[in-house]
Amino acid sequence: MKYNIRGQRMEVTDALREYVEKKLSRLERYFEAPPQSDVNVTLSVTKGHQAIEVTIPLPGALLRAEEKRDDMYASIDFVVDKLERQIRKHKTKINRNFREAGSARALFKEDFGNGNGVTTLTRDEEDDLELVRTKRFNLKPMDVEEAILQMNLVGHNFYVFANTDTKEVSVVYRRNDGKYGLIEAAE
């Protein structure tokens, strides 16, 4: 894998660069052949938090993880753990959906190199896709500003509403930077 490592509001030292490459190279053991795509890594410091964002484009999939901690090295460790979980989940999904040879299944190794030659997924990793709750409610027609106010009143990070401007169902959400976003259905 080729690494594009850059810093936002910080300088990327040689020690940090080596640590990122060493930790991310652990992911290569999950693939039959190392991906030829560029791995994009952004290191940043925001409000005292050390953040890392990693994006790995793969054929038919996009692995992306982000982590913020007080220590950059801890952020790197946690983001690699997140990416490993994503790969295992993706592998499980592929194995469930594609049983024929020559499919996307050939992208990942059967044995992840954990020493005993057996690949096991814990029950927790498979249950992460389990639907545990369904809510139904009437959508009140409102504009975007009122939806943001309602979202803040209920204390959630998102709010579903009937948009009076578009006459469609829309979602407002709070972004990590504290600002707001709007999701609308494409026509």
Side-chain angles (χ1 to χ4, degrees), residues 105-163:
R105 181 178 180 175
L107 182 63
F108 298 104
K109 284 184 179 178
E110 290 299 321
D111 175 17
F112 291 150
N114 55 7
N116 60 8
V118 176
T119 301
T120 56
L121 292 175
T122 63
R123 195 71 205 143
D124 292 339
E125 291 167 347
E126 293 179 16
D127 288 343
D128 282 348
L129 303 175
E130 181 181 355
L131 179 67
V132 295
R133 187 173 186 183
T134 301
K135 285 187 173 183
R136 293 185 185 272
F137 55 94
N138 294 324
L139 298 178
K140 177 185 170 194
M142 61 182 75
D143 62 13
V144 175
E145 289 79 18
E146 185 179 352
I148 291 172
L149 292 173
Q150 290 293 326
M151 175 184 66
N152 289 332
L153 282 175
V154 296
H156 290 174
N157 291 329
F158 69 93
Y159 192 80
V160 181
F161 67 104
N163 194 329

Side-chain angles (χ1 to χ4, degrees), residues 157-173:
N157 291 329
F158 69 93
Y159 192 80
V160 181
F161 67 104
N163 194 329
T164 55
D165 298 333
T166 62
K167 308 290 188 247
E168 298 285 334
V169 174
S170 298
V171 178
V172 291
Y173 63 95

Side-chain angles (χ1 to χ4, degrees), residues 58-78:
L58 298 172
L62 178 72
L63 299 177
R64 184 186 174 285
E66 174 177 342
E67 188 65 38
K68 293 179 185 175
R69 298 283 168 164
D70 292 332
D71 177 51
M72 183 59 78
Y73 291 96
S75 296
I76 294 166
D77 291 341
F78 279 99

Side-chain angles (χ1 to χ4, degrees), residues 18-109:
E18 288 175 18
Y19 192 77
V20 168
E21 289 178 3
K22 176 185 168 197
K23 288 296 188 171
L24 289 176
S25 68
R26 283 183 19 197
L27 300 176
E28 290 182 11
R29 69 181 179 186
Y30 291 100
F31 301 99
E32 287 296 332
Q36 297 303 311
S37 58
D38 290 349
V39 176
N40 295 310
V41 180
T42 304
L43 305 172
S44 63
V45 178
T46 309
K47 297 180 184 174
H49 286 91
Q50 313 276 326
I52 180 172
E53 179 183 322
V54 179
T55 305
I56 306 172
L58 298 172
L62 178 72
L63 299 177
R64 184 186 174 285
E66 174 177 342
E67 188 65 38
K68 293 179 185 175
R69 298 283 168 164
D70 292 332
D71 177 51
M72 183 59 78
Y73 291 96
S75 296
I76 294 166
D77 291 341
F78 279 99
V79 86
V80 170
D81 291 344
K82 280 184 178 181
L83 288 166
E84 285 180 327
R85 283 193 301 274
Q86 285 182 21
I87 290 170
R88 286 194 298 268
K89 286 179 189 177
H90 192 69
K91 171 84 169 133
T92 302
K93 180 180 174 184
I94 288 172
N95 282 336
R96 281 188 195 143
N97 295 336
F98 303 105
R99 296 294 179 194
E100 65 274 359
S103 65
R105 181 178 180 175
L107 182 63
F108 298 104
K109 284 184 179 178

